Amino acid sequence: MKIKVNNKTIEANNGETILDALNREGIKVPTLCHLKNMMPTGACRMCVVEDVNSGKLITSCSSPVYEGLEVNTHSARVNESRKTIVELLLSNHPDDCLYCVRNGNCELQGLSEELSITERRIRGRKNKQPLDRSSASIVRDPEKCILCGRCVRICEEVMGVACIDFVQRGNQTVVGTAFDKGLNTSSCVNCGQCIMVCPTGALTEKNHFAEIKQALQNPEIKVAIQYAPSISISIAEEFGMEPGLDINGIMNAAIRKIGFDYVFDTSFGADLTIMEESSELIHRILNKGKLPLITSCCPGWVKYAEEFAPDFIDNISSCKSPQQMTGAVIKSYFIDKENIPQDKLYSVAIMPCTAKKFEGQREEMTQNGISDVDAVLTTREFVKFIKMYGIDIHNLNAEVANNPLGSRTSAGKLFGTTGGVAEAAIRTAHYKLTGKELIEFKITALRDFKNRKETKIQIGDLELGVAVVNGLANAKKLLDEIREGRSDIHFIEIMACPGGCVGGGGQPIKMDEEAIRIRAKSLYNIDDKESIKVSHKNPDVQKLYADFLEEPLSAKSHELLHTHYQKREVII
Amino acid sequence: MNSTKQYIIEEILSNPRKDFSNVDLVKELKRELITKPVIFIGTGTCGLGAGADKTMIAVKTYLKATKIEADIIETGCIGLCSSEPLMDVQLPGHNRVCFENATADKVEDILDSILKAKSEVKEQSVLCQFKSKENHKWDGIPDINDLAFFKPQFRIVLKNCGIVNPISIDEYIASGGYTGFLNLIKTKNSEEVCDLVEKSGLRGRGGGGFLTGKKWKFALNTSAEQKYLICNADEGDPGAFMDRAVIEGDPHRLIEGMAIAAYGIGATKSYVYIRAEYPLAIKRLNIALQQAREYGLLGDNVFGSNVNFEIKVKTGAGAFVCGEETALINSIEGKRGMPRPRPPFPAVSGLFGKPTIINNVESLSNLPFIIKEGEDKFAAIGTEKSKGTKVFALSGKITKTGLVEIPMGTSVREVLFDIAGGVPNNKKFKSVQIGGPSGGCITEQNLDIPIEYESLIEVGAMMGSGGLVVMDEDTCMVDVAKFFMDFIQRESCGKCIPCREGTRRMLEILEDITHKPHHNGKHEALRRFKGVTQLERLGKVIKETSLCGLGQTAPNPVLSTIKWFREEYEEHIFERKCSANVCTELRVFTIDVDACTGCTICAKKCPTDAIIGSRKAPHFIVDDKCIACGTCFDVCKFNAITIS
Amino acid sequence: MKQILEKYKEAERDSLIPILQEVQEKEGYLSENALVEIGELLNLPVSKIFGVATFYNQFRFQPKGKHHIQVCRGTACHVLGSANVLQELEKTLKIKNEETSRDGNFSLEVVACIGACGLAPVISINGEFHAKVTSSSIKEIIDNLKEK
């Protein structure tokens, strides 16, 4: 059908909202509470447009198009309304932009600039709320919250956790947990997706700069750092380079320039994880162990299972995550080799994830009371670190990571995207069971961007059932099917975050689905070009077993690289 | 089944077109013929608040002591709340007589006066008598329809309130109830019902004023395997209590109205969403519903038709915003009562996603009349665009508080001064607030406007649910605006920014105008004056962009008082004075040095230590610290403190 | 509590508010345990139940006092002086809206219009209405209750 926008006729489709039609035409209308692919709530009123026929202001996010519709998107009346609404928000918002984590990347700041708000026309009392710093991963600052509700909806609809909701009423409304308790006692799984959709600094990650800087400055401490597979392809755009560009080598150089002593790649740990986990899978298949085997590398999923699906705890792999395996190996094998006393090595990890901060300090992830990993930085924090230390990314030469924990196969690299862990595991499991490599390494059935993918792989006589799911609400659906009796799946990869780790809660905040796809594509490109595509062919991993661990699932492996989880009593 | 019930079901209800008014049983049920005295006591919430329960005990004691046999019937509110408790006595063969202010201590005298009377009832509290064809008139007692309060009324919705036993389905049926509905489902289809209701001109009485029949058609024409009717009995407007009176006084009328509406839209399930603060209404409604079920008027295949219909009662939990349609729906669904964006409208996608019609209690209670007497008869009442009657709740500075039902088109002046007796205590009328927190005020100059939907909007007010709160010279209009804004702020759901944040800022501006400090620097005055401009600007944005009716109408009381009482605002801003003496913080307290004895009591009692002075020396109030609480004035034994 | 859970064992979300109302009716207020059990019964996250319960005025999270006083803040009551009555109550009982006195004898609640506007200002004590109260008559009423 045809509608008129700002006196120009444009095409519109039956059943779509005015906002959809406007976006397609490239006409930008400001929004705050809008979340793509979710039902509009009509809470912020920012997207109002003037309906010429009725003379009223209507919200474009929720109003459907109809034949004969005529709207003005930026009339004086509409502009004044939007400006007043933002001014009202600002009148109840802390005035500390310069000290805020989201300075420069805040939607409220952006709107204030777009609407040309240059004076304080509205003043009044501001709500006083305490900070919630109880969680290991996420910090809540209710004074900065504009009650858009995005976090509530993400937590409920995409994660199926719903640890937060609107509490109280009117101007006393806050987003809170049950009984207003700290986030750490709630059912929060630390996935950080709430941070990814928060338009202001109301939700941020726990910051660990201070302790890391202290370690760096201490001449007696050696600082080791590892970075997740997603990191090298997620930060280029933060420095003005092409999105998705793999700057692994430059990144190594940057890290050394900051002052880290040893640079490692978590993808090495991923290869190691595959060695252990594929053996575990085969062991369970051959010995009628608990199936399906479910991955354990996502700490958001693990906490979810402990709270919401304790009946699946025994299904979860006993393997630690690549971050933790790498950390454990650093603090045993590596320091032995280099003769570094254990208390003189500080281990940091860069992750696209906030839950990893929680994972790092878990009791299950310690050896004799010492954490495998001492501190975790999100991708966002890492980018800030680089800028803080004045590193000029554009003028660095590529370097290689330290050995022996610096080499990786592309199978390890695939961990960063949804379906990647499964692909890597299948490649090695096939070899272990048949002695032969897969003819086609690329398992395209697991490569599309859907929330749930399944496939069957023929490995000799065995038809291996594999399922991959991302977004915990989707995971629940699959788990329910298994509870109902489904038995054709042997291996499940569960990632809490939509798209897998490339869309993790620690990644740069953008509200752009396309960015996540570009990162995943980048990982697949690396896999295409890589010569060693299977974890079991990683020479350093082979050496690690030969020198130290003996073989997968050995006593030594179990001691360092495996752990157990148990039911968590929280209010859900 | 007892024989009365049997007769009613098998004869009256099964032959809904037949006239049974001459049957003896019917006359007995209508109390046109009685064999022993009947004592009626108005035990609606208003009556109980005035002591009707104690009256009841006194009556029972009296009857026991005098060994007189009489029936005691509890009724609802007839509407004359300022005269509660009301007690009526009907002797066999005589008209029923109404006594006002019948508190427990007066019961003996009242009952003596009538039970022992011959042709006259000599009692001070006699108010009126109810004429009837069959019975003798009392000398010297005016007919109820000749009283100034009742004469101009046209009682459709309130017809039975305060007169009948609300929880007697037999009485309701005897006076023609439910037969209209039963006849309707036999003779007309849903489409025709919507047409005739639209033709009647009935408009939503909850405040929206949308044509009821037209609204029904949206739901009727949306196909779905389940449709819902919801009766909105949330009545949250402060100053409105007509819905409560209808449910306490004549619940069967509402049930019949709901049955008619449900048939019109094709709904088989319905809810009455009633606020928790109305326990008596809830109790009587539940009893009436149970009776309706027992008589086969609710349930499957009502009286052999293919109409299935059931009503459930849902209690609100204390949220004014749940009177808004989509918030109400969310509340029934077990969620926070926050409104939803529209479209989709509830008529198309409402409760549980199904087509839902929400009608107000008063709208629904008009339907039995429209069906029985005909849509033309209803359309003949009122004005061209506003048909029928409207129930108004009168309160505030008015002589006769209570409920009145008047034809649309009656002037405000007639309601306030002719019907309700004007402003008491010789005070001057200032304004009347109409429409509660969504409405505006009507001033002296507009008193002659006819009461209709459009004419009220023209002067910046709104029909709303029909609450009329009268204000006199001792009311401060700025304080009234502040009161309503405070109410809105507490009841705002908090979902949308303009209402949540905007009304808060408006309230702060009003507080600034009515609070200390009370001396004026140039800047302060200018700042406050800018505040009024800010009120108008914010008000416009809030009205135009809020998500729901609560926010969209929230600025009305403020904008209305600014329009009609700008000089009061300016007096507060520039002179820091409140003529009505309501804004206590603007009062200036000074100690007369000649009268002050230095007793130090005021200094000791002052909560902010604002009074200084030594023993036996005149004291002094430090203006900056004084919060104008008035404690010193109260405790001073020497009248040494003056307030200006 | 057990009886209520049994009665509603097939219930879905639309029974949430009636359940909360019944629990508060029986226990006097909503405790943490009660909300957790309701969450399990209805298979709803407790944060949602807490969000619903805190939205509505009716629900209390602290037990009521022996004498629960509700002050109406409707228009008519306001115009006829209810603010003074409230102030007097707060002063005499030393508690504010939604609080219970330390000795558990009195609790105070400001409610939206009770609907008895013809008799404003109105207060209700344990459900019993008192009409046309003033700041002096309220003192007397409280004193009488204290003696009981």
Side-chain angles (χ1 to χ4, degrees):
Chain A
M1 68 175 84
K2 299 228 186 294
I3 62 171
K4 249 184 166 180
V5 177
N6 301 332
N7 264 320
K8 194 176 95 166
T9 309
I10 66 166
E11 282 293 328
N13 301 324
N14 235 325
E16 69 176 358
T17 61
I18 301 177
L19 187 64
D20 286 339
L22 293 176
N23 283 341
R24 203 179 35 244
E25 290 286 318
I27 302 172
K28 263 204 74 200
V29 158
T31 61
L32 264 181
C33 65
H34 184 69
L35 261 183
K36 211 158 166 225
N37 299 328
M38 288 202 187
M39 291 285 290
T41 62
C44 69
R45 322 307 291 167
M46 284 301 293
C47 66
V48 286
V49 294
E50 196 170 357
D51 179 347
V52 176
N53 295 333
S54 70
K56 294 197 174 140
L57 295 183
I58 57 175
T59 45
S60 49
C61 67
S62 65
S63 304
V65 294
Y66 60 86
E67 187 75 53
L69 174 69
E70 252 193 82
V71 295
N72 287 324
T73 61
H74 285 80
S75 69
R77 186 171 155 214
V78 170
N79 281 341
E80 177 63 26
S81 298
R82 290 186 192 142
K83 192 167 175 189
T84 307
I85 291 171
V86 175
E87 284 179 286
L88 283 172
L89 278 181
L90 292 176
S91 74
N92 192 12
H93 200 81
D95 261 342
D96 63 354
C97 285
L98 295 180
Y99 298 90
C100 179
V101 173
R102 296 288 293 268
N103 187 14
N105 184 19
C106 163
E107 287 185 46
L108 199 53
Q109 265 184 343
L111 282 173
S112 185
E113 199 186 320
E114 185 184 323
L115 297 166
S116 242
I117 296 175
T118 51
E119 49 170 321
R120 282 181 229 266
R121 286 196 292 181
I122 304 178
R123 288 174 206 258
R125 283 190 286 271
K126 301 189 185 194
N127 286 348
K128 291 257 161 282
Q129 300 281 350
L131 273 181
D132 176 10
R133 297 182 54 88
S134 62
S135 159
S137 301
I138 299 170
V139 176
R140 293 193 298 144
D141 188 354
E143 284 181 15
K144 295 190 179 163
C145 176
I146 60 168
L147 298 172
C148 67
R150 289 185 193 164
C151 55
V152 173
R153 287 195 288 159
I154 278 278
C155 191
E156 180 184 1
E157 295 174 36
V158 175
M159 290 298 146
V161 171
C163 63
I164 48 174
D165 195 9
F166 288 109
V167 167
Q168 308 276 12
R169 187 175 77 196
N171 64 31
Q172 301 298 308
T173 311
V174 283
V175 172
T177 60
F179 314 118
D180 264 332
K181 295 200 170 149
L183 205 54
N184 64 339
T185 56
S186 74
S187 57
C188 172
V189 298
N190 303 308
C191 68
Q193 286 303 308
C194 52
I195 299 177
M196 299 302 280
V197 294
C198 182
T200 66
L203 290 165
T204 54
E205 65 265 52
K206 207 57 164 312
N207 181 285
H208 288 98
F209 281 7
E211 42 263 91
I212 297 174
K213 276 199 266 184
Q214 201 175 43
L216 283 172
Q217 279 159 10
N218 188 338
E220 295 184 26
I221 304 273
K222 295 277 182 213
V223 189
I225 191 164
Q226 54 167 305
Y227 46 78
S230 325
I231 308 295
S232 68
I233 46 99
S234 299
I235 59 171
E237 63 220 78
E238 301 296 303
F239 298 98
M241 296 188 258
E242 195 195 312
L245 184 64
D246 182 17
I247 54 169
N248 207 333
I250 299 172
M251 203 171 75
N252 291 331
I255 291 172
R256 287 206 179 93
K257 267 224 144 55
I258 292 173
F260 288 94
D261 298 295
Y262 307 107
V263 184
F264 298 125
D265 192 337
T266 314
S267 312
F268 170 91
D271 283 331
L272 189 56
T273 306
I274 290 297
M275 293 302 290
E276 295 291 322
E277 200 156 331
S278 59
S279 296
E280 191 186 5
L281 174 65
I282 292 168
H283 188 278
R284 289 198 195 183
I285 292 175
L286 296 178
N287 294 303
K288 296 219 183 347
K290 194 95 173 143
L291 288 174
L293 173 66
I294 310 183
T295 54
S296 59
C297 45
C298 173
W301 148 243
V302 168
K303 189 159 193 270
Y304 179 89
E306 290 174 321
E307 295 170 356
F308 292 87
D311 50 334
F312 281 94
I313 288 183
D314 289 337
N315 292 70
I316 299 180
S317 163
S318 60
C319 293
K320 290 181 179 176
S321 66
Q323 166 181 288
Q324 298 304 134
M325 282 198 184
T326 310
V329 169
I330 292 172
K331 287 206 181 177
S332 53
Y333 179 67
F334 179 74
I335 58 176
D336 279 346
K337 259 181 156 237
E338 301 288 315
N339 268 321
I340 305 168
Q342 196 180 48
D343 58 345
K344 296 279 188 256
L345 181 96
Y346 191 82
S347 181
V348 182
I350 306 172
M351 293 287 143
C353 173
T354 46
K356 290 284 177 194
K357 288 185 188 255
F358 176 77
E359 187 184 46
Q361 47 92 72
R362 283 183 76 131
E363 222 185 286
E364 294 89 342
M365 305 295 180
T366 58
Q367 298 291 330
N368 304 320
I370 309 221
S371 291
D372 296 332
V373 173
D374 294 301
V376 176
L377 285 171
T378 60
T379 315
R380 300 187 286 266
E381 285 176 288
F382 176 53
V383 168
K384 287 209 168 127
F385 234 70
I386 294 179
K387 292 180 178 169
M388 203 166 40
Y389 277 82
I391 310 294
D392 183 3
I393 284 278
H394 300 275
N395 282 319
L396 287 173
N397 293 321
E399 293 179 19
V400 289
N402 284 78
N403 264 317
L405 310 174
S407 73
R408 58 114 179 94
T409 71
S410 66
K413 198 73 177 163
L414 284 180
F415 267 55
T417 179
T418 171
V421 180
E423 244 188 277
I426 293 170
R427 291 179 188 178
T428 296
H430 187 275
Y431 179 77
K432 284 195 181 172
L433 277 170
T434 64
K436 293 205 270 278
E437 300 290 355
L438 273 169
I439 298 178
E440 175 52 69
F441 286 118
K442 268 206 279 214
I443 305 178
T444 41
L446 300 178
R447 284 198 174 195
D448 72 41
F449 229 65
K450 290 210 286 271
N451 306 345
R452 176 154 140 181
K453 304 162 263 198
E454 292 184 34
T455 192
K456 298 269 192 288
I457 308 282
Q458 201 64 36
I459 304 184
D461 292 333
L462 171 68
E463 193 187 47
L464 188 72
V466 179
V468 169
V469 73
N470 60 76
L472 289 172
N474 301 316
K476 178 172 192 301
K477 291 197 194 115
L478 179 59
L479 295 178
D480 279 339
E481 285 177 23
I482 299 184
R483 285 182 180 116
E484 314 257 304
R486 197 173 160 184
S487 57
D488 58 327
I489 306 181
H490 300 88
F491 183 81
I492 304 180
E493 174 203 302
I494 297 185
M495 293 293 155
C497 297
C501 306
V502 284
Q507 291 285 65
I509 295 172
K510 236 175 262 290
M511 293 291 280
D512 179 7
E513 217 174 71
E514 193 54 30
I516 302 177
R517 281 179 211 257
I518 290 175
R519 292 173 198 149
K521 257 213 205 93
S522 191
L523 290 176
Y524 291 134
N525 284 341
I526 293 171
D527 183 50
D528 279 346
K529 301 206 181 82
E530 190 71 26
S531 45
I532 310 181
K533 296 196 211 293
V534 288
S535 302
H536 47 274
K537 286 221 162 85
N538 183 331
D540 289 320
V541 168
Q542 288 168 341
K543 192 153 187 295
L544 179 62
Y545 278 109
D547 286 353
F548 190 60
L549 297 172
E550 289 163 30
E551 54 172 10
L553 307 182
S554 69
K556 194 80 187 173
S557 297
H558 268 289
E559 186 196 325
L560 287 175
L561 310 176
H562 289 254
T563 186
H564 292 285
Y565 303 103
Q566 47 194 311
K567 182 166 185 225
R568 237 176 237 275
E569 293 289 350
V570 290
I571 297 174
I572 58 168
Chain B
M1 197 180 344
N2 71 45
S3 58
T4 308
K5 183 173 171 184
Q6 195 167 8
Y7 183 82
I8 288 179
I9 293 177
E10 290 174 11
E11 294 295 322
I12 303 181
L13 293 179
S14 300
N15 299 297
R17 297 178 92 150
K18 207 162 145 196
D19 179 12
F20 288 87
S21 52
N22 283 316
V23 174
D24 274 350
L25 174 63
V26 170
K27 286 188 180 180
E28 276 164 32
L29 288 171
K30 284 163 84 173
R31 274 183 226 102
E32 287 169 6
L33 296 174
I34 55 173
T35 50
K36 54 179 158 149
V38 182
I39 302 175
F40 304 83
I41 306 180
T43 55
T45 305
C46 278
L48 290 172
D53 48 344
K54 299 194 184 71
T55 303
M56 169 86 81
I57 295 174
V59 168
K60 287 186 177 155
T61 311
Y62 178 95
L63 293 175
K64 197 157 171 227
T66 56
K67 295 201 184 14
I68 297 179
E69 264 199 48
D71 286 330
I72 303 179
I73 305 284
E74 292 189 54
T75 66
C77 256
I78 199 169
L80 193 46
C81 298
S82 44
S83 295
E84 297 272 11
L86 289 167
M87 183 169 77
D88 300 0
V89 182
Q90 183 178 347
L91 297 182
H94 292 264
N95 278 348
R96 172 171 165 174
V97 178
C98 176
F99 298 89
E100 61 178 346
N101 300 313
T103 44
D105 56 328
K106 298 216 191 97
V107 164
E108 200 182 327
D109 285 340
I110 292 174
L111 291 179
D112 275 346
S113 75
I114 184 164
L115 293 171
K116 300 177 181 156
K118 300 236 164 33
S119 65
E120 275 191 309
V121 178
K122 279 187 163 17
E123 210 329 296
Q124 206 185 8
S125 2
V126 165
L127 180 63
C128 61
Q129 62 178 316
F130 295 78
K131 79 162 176 246
S132 71
K133 276 189 295 197
E134 327 266 341
N135 297 307
H136 288 299
K137 202 167 107 73
W138 293 95
D139 293 333
I141 301 181
D143 187 277
I144 187 170
N145 289 317
D146 289 333
L147 292 180
F149 187 79
F150 288 99
K151 192 164 179 184
Q153 293 194 41
F154 192 114
R155 293 164 72 97
I156 297 177
V157 170
L158 296 182
K159 175 164 170 238
N160 292 337
C161 291
I163 316 247
V164 305
N165 178 354
I167 47 177
S168 165
I169 189 171
D170 295 343
E171 265 188 68
Y172 183 68
I173 293 171
S175 20
Y178 286 120
T179 49
F181 164 65
L182 290 172
N183 186 38
L184 186 74
I185 61 179
K186 284 193 172 138
T187 57
K188 291 204 163 38
N189 65 34
S190 295
E191 174 106 40
E192 289 166 327
V193 174
C194 288
D195 276 336
L196 76 85
V197 171
E198 188 177 352
K199 244 179 104 190
S200 76
L202 176 67
R203 293 168 69 168
R205 296 286 192 256
F210 197 81
L211 270 171
T212 307
K214 199 165 170 195
K215 187 170 165 182
W216 288 1
K217 282 184 178 165
F218 290 124
L220 181 66
N221 293 331
T222 309
S223 61
E225 73 282 2
Q226 178 70 59
K227 296 187 193 177
Y228 294 98
L229 172 74
I230 300 180
C231 166
N232 187 348
D234 195 46
E235 196 165 59
D237 268 8
F241 52 100
M242 49 293 261
D243 293 348
R244 171 176 64 71
V246 170
I247 302 178
E248 285 176 357
D250 198 6
H252 283 289
R253 180 174 302 274
L254 173 62
I255 297 173
E256 185 178 1
M258 287 179 74
I260 295 168
Y263 181 65
I265 64 174
T268 55
K269 291 194 183 158
S270 83
Y271 293 87
V272 177
Y273 186 87
I274 182 167
R275 56 196 303 243
E277 291 88 333
Y278 287 172
L280 179 62
I282 295 171
K283 186 167 139 205
R284 290 188 180 174
L285 178 63
N286 277 322
I287 294 174
L289 283 170
Q290 189 50 30
Q291 291 172 343
R293 278 180 208 117
E294 281 167 17
Y295 278 56
L297 291 155
L298 294 178
D300 289 338
N301 302 111
V302 171
F303 276 83
S305 68
N306 56 8
V307 170
N308 303 336
F309 180 53
E310 193 33 87
I311 300 179
K312 264 202 203 146
V313 175
K314 276 265 182 181
T315 331
F320 172 72
V321 65
C322 287
E324 198 277 338
E325 292 190 347
T326 56
L328 198 161
I329 289 174
N330 271 338
S331 187
I332 293 183
E333 291 185 4
K335 300 178 182 154
R336 288 164 62 89
M338 309 204 299
R340 303 174 182 175
R342 282 174 293 178
F345 289 90
V348 169
S349 170
L351 185 62
F352 306 123
K354 303 280 181 274
T356 307
I357 288 293
I358 302 176
N359 281 140
N360 168 264
V361 167
E362 194 183 331
S363 314
L364 292 165
S365 303
N366 270 295
L367 293 170
F369 176 93
I370 293 176
I371 297 305
K372 193 115 204 213
E373 305 291 326
E375 66 273 24
D376 294 329
K377 195 142 182 233
F378 186 83
I381 309 164
T383 67
E384 195 198 321
K385 290 221 181 110
S386 303
K387 302 286 182 199
T389 61
K390 179 79 189 78
V391 179
F392 283 97
L394 290 154
S395 59
K397 308 292 184 73
I398 191 83
T399 309
K400 301 207 188 90
T401 56
L403 296 172
V404 299
E405 185 174 357
I406 42 118
M408 294 279 197
T410 311
S411 73
V412 179
R413 188 187 297 280
E414 196 181 340
V415 174
L416 297 184
F417 292 94
D418 297 345
I419 296 178
V423 180
N425 302 327
N426 272 323
K427 296 279 185 180
K428 194 163 171 296
F429 169 82
K430 195 177 221 179
S431 83
V432 56
Q433 169 74 15
I434 177 168
S438 315
C441 51
I442 308 233
T443 53
E444 180 82 49
Q445 64 214 91
N446 286 322
L447 279 177
D448 292 303
I449 62 168
I451 294 181
E452 356 162 58
Y453 290 97
E454 278 73 28
S455 63
L456 290 172
I457 292 178
E458 270 169 40
V459 295
M462 193 174 123
M463 183 84 75
S465 53
L468 285 168
V469 183
V470 184
M471 299 164 189
D472 65 9
E473 61 195 75
D474 290 337
T475 316
C476 168
M477 297 314 288
V478 185
D479 179 68
V480 167
K482 189 176 74 165
F483 168 79
F484 280 120
M485 200 47 84
D486 182 72
F487 176 81
I488 289 292
Q489 257 288 292
R490 281 173 211 271
E491 297 294 336
S492 165
C493 75
K495 181 171 178 183
C496 77
I497 299 168
C499 176
R500 180 183 78 232
E501 307 286 350
T503 57
R504 181 185 198 174
R505 299 304 170 216
M506 286 183 78
L507 177 61
E508 285 172 357
I509 294 170
L510 290 168
E511 282 175 346
D512 188 41
I513 293 176
T514 54
H515 285 192
K516 290 194 67 104
H518 54 237
H519 55 254
N520 240 352
K522 258 193 310 213
H523 298 295
E524 269 104 51
L526 185 61
R527 193 194 75 230
R528 280 187 210 104
F529 180 70
K530 272 188 175 166
V532 177
T533 322
Q534 181 95 294
L535 283 175
E536 290 169 323
R537 182 173 81 95
L538 283 176
K540 179 163 187 272
V541 173
I542 297 169
K543 272 176 84 91
E544 295 191 334
T545 61
S546 288
L547 171 60
C548 80
L550 187 151
Q552 287 156 6
T553 57
N556 286 353
V558 177
L559 296 176
S560 172
T561 49
I562 292 179
K563 180 173 174 172
W564 299 106
F565 295 97
R566 203 176 184 102
E567 66 290 353
E568 270 192 55
Y569 278 84
E570 290 180 351
E571 190 186 51
H572 281 70
I573 291 170
F574 295 114
E575 295 171 55
R576 302 306 276 143
K577 195 171 82 158
C578 174
S579 306
N581 239 339
V582 170
C583 300
T584 52
E585 283 205 19
L586 294 182
R587 298 184 295 182
V588 180
F589 287 76
T590 31
I591 298 181
D592 182 352
V593 290
D594 296 321
C596 175
T597 62
C599 72
T600 76
I601 289 185
C602 61
K604 291 204 180 92
K605 293 278 185 185
C606 174
T608 55
D609 289 329
I611 305 182
I612 52 176
S614 32
R615 273 196 85 80
K616 306 243 168 110
H619 280 38
F620 175 75
I621 299 175
V622 178
D623 197 59
D624 284 343
K625 282 180 151 190
C626 173
I627 58 166
C629 66
T631 307
C632 56
F633 181 80
D634 290 335
V635 301
C636 178
K637 297 195 183 84
F638 302 97
N639 283 328
I641 301 193
T642 52
I643 312 176
S644 59
Chain C
M1 186 74 205
K2 270 207 177 66
Q3 281 174 311
I4 299 176
L5 295 176
E6 182 57 36
K7 176 174 161 193
Y8 283 99
K9 66 169 186 246
E10 303 286 318
E12 296 191 24
R13 183 165 189 169
D14 57 318
S15 300
L16 174 58
I17 293 177
I19 294 175
L20 289 170
Q21 287 168 331
E22 273 191 52
V23 170
Q24 179 162 287
E25 177 82 38
K26 290 268 148 57
E27 316 223 321
Y29 72 114
L30 295 174
S31 63
E32 272 185 34
N33 276 340
L35 293 194
V36 170
E37 285 189 64
I38 296 173
E40 275 170 23
L41 172 71
L42 294 176
N43 203 15
L44 278 177
V46 181
S47 65
K48 292 251 164 281
I49 298 181
F50 188 67
V52 170
T54 53
F55 182 85
Y56 296 97
N57 289 339
Q58 193 185 29
F59 297 120
R60 262 185 307 279
F61 300 91
Q62 268 184 355
K64 262 198 289 202
K66 193 163 125 204
H67 306 285
H68 183 67
I69 306 175
Q70 292 176 313
V71 181
C72 176
R73 58 172 158 84
T75 321
C77 288
H78 176 81
V79 162
L80 290 163
S82 65
N84 291 335
V85 174
L86 178 62
Q87 210 175 39
E88 186 61 43
L89 278 168
E90 287 179 336
K91 209 165 82 179
T92 318
L93 301 173
K94 297 201 195 352
I95 51 174
K96 291 217 153 359
N97 182 19
E98 285 184 32
E99 288 181 5
T100 308
S101 62
R102 281 257 198 92
D103 57 10
N105 278 336
F106 292 98
S107 51
L108 196 53
E109 186 189 347
V110 179
V111 292
C113 184
I114 289 178
C117 313
L119 306 158
V122 172
I123 67 158
S124 122
I125 304 185
N126 289 345
E128 201 187 300
F129 289 113
H130 296 258
K132 301 203 167 105
V133 289
T134 60
S135 37
S136 29
S137 72
I138 195 69
K139 260 201 236 159
E140 216 187 296
I141 297 174
I142 298 295
D143 286 338
N144 285 339
L145 288 175
K146 278 189 177 158
E147 274 165 31
K148 278 198 191 151

